[in-house]
Amino acid sequence: MKNTLTSLPLKLLIIFAITISINSCWSDDFTRTKEIQFINNQELLLDSKNDNYNLQIRLSKINKPPKWYGIQQCSKYHSFIINGNKTAFIAYKLETLISVLTNLENKNIEMRSEQWKKANFYIAFENKDSLSTLQQHNVIINELINICNLKIDSTYRNVSIKNIKIRNHKIFNEYKTSDNTKKSTSIYSSPNLEINNSSLVQIASFINRLSENRYQYTGSDTNKYTLDIKTISRKDTLKLSKALEGIGLYSTDTYENILFLTITDKTIKINK
């Protein structure tokens, strides 16, 4: 596979909605000076400027967030910031960046490069010429894999997916949220998952992120629910199945052909 996203199915490059939480560790005390201090602490790998965009790729030297203005940065470290035509990804692992930029699950991306496996990247992108989201993501991914001397191979695999469904409407309706204006959130404190004001699509997505198995909801229910799923386990499917049954849900197995990406180091050929 060539080092370009043009060979990937376009449906995987659909613009995804980005929601930025107002309640985060970034406070009004944030200053440009402190931002510059943080950025300059990261090792510069690429600084590309042209008529279309500015792109900086830096290697994060620290795995824990710094203290800006005395407050430990938490929820916005290992996340992104959008400010007009500027986007910043802060302390992302490479496979997570690829996941976000291709709208493909982390579970579908295999990182085989030992050199970059534990690396965290800081990406700053400024769109100067109305590039589409697809074009911006193409630029970032291609520059990343080129500067790291990597390649991305794609393949399709037939995998098992658990479809969440409503078993008992009477029981599940007890969790229906009356105020649909509140933000959807999830809090996982092992082994319990607390979900607030979320649709079944969002509930399935939260469970999918935690579980080693794959979960989805493809039905038509758009109501919002607030509930606790007790004893959720990443590996124990039986426990999770019983927990779902306790709130009026269940899951059925199906198989789908899904795209997987494998990130590896380029092979260096030595001419003899």
Side-chain angles (χ1 to χ4, degrees), residues 237-259:
T237 306
L238 181 59
K239 281 186 178 180
L240 180 54
S241 296
K242 289 182 178 179
L244 292 176
E245 289 176 5
I247 58 175
L249 299 174
Y250 75 111
S251 64
T252 59
D253 291 327
T254 187
Y255 285 87
E256 290 187 13
N257 214 28
I258 293 179
L259 178 67

Side-chain angles (χ1 to χ4, degrees), residues 7 14 31 42 53 86-87 108-109 130 132 145 150 154 163-164 166 186 216 249:
S7 56
I14 297 173
T31 66
Q42 319 306 307
Y53 61 84
K86 298 179 181 179
T87 304
N108 295 26
I109 298 175
S130 301
S132 68
I145 60 178
L150 298 167
S154 63
N163 291 290
I164 291 181
I166 302 175
S186 69
Q216 66 180 13
L249 299 174

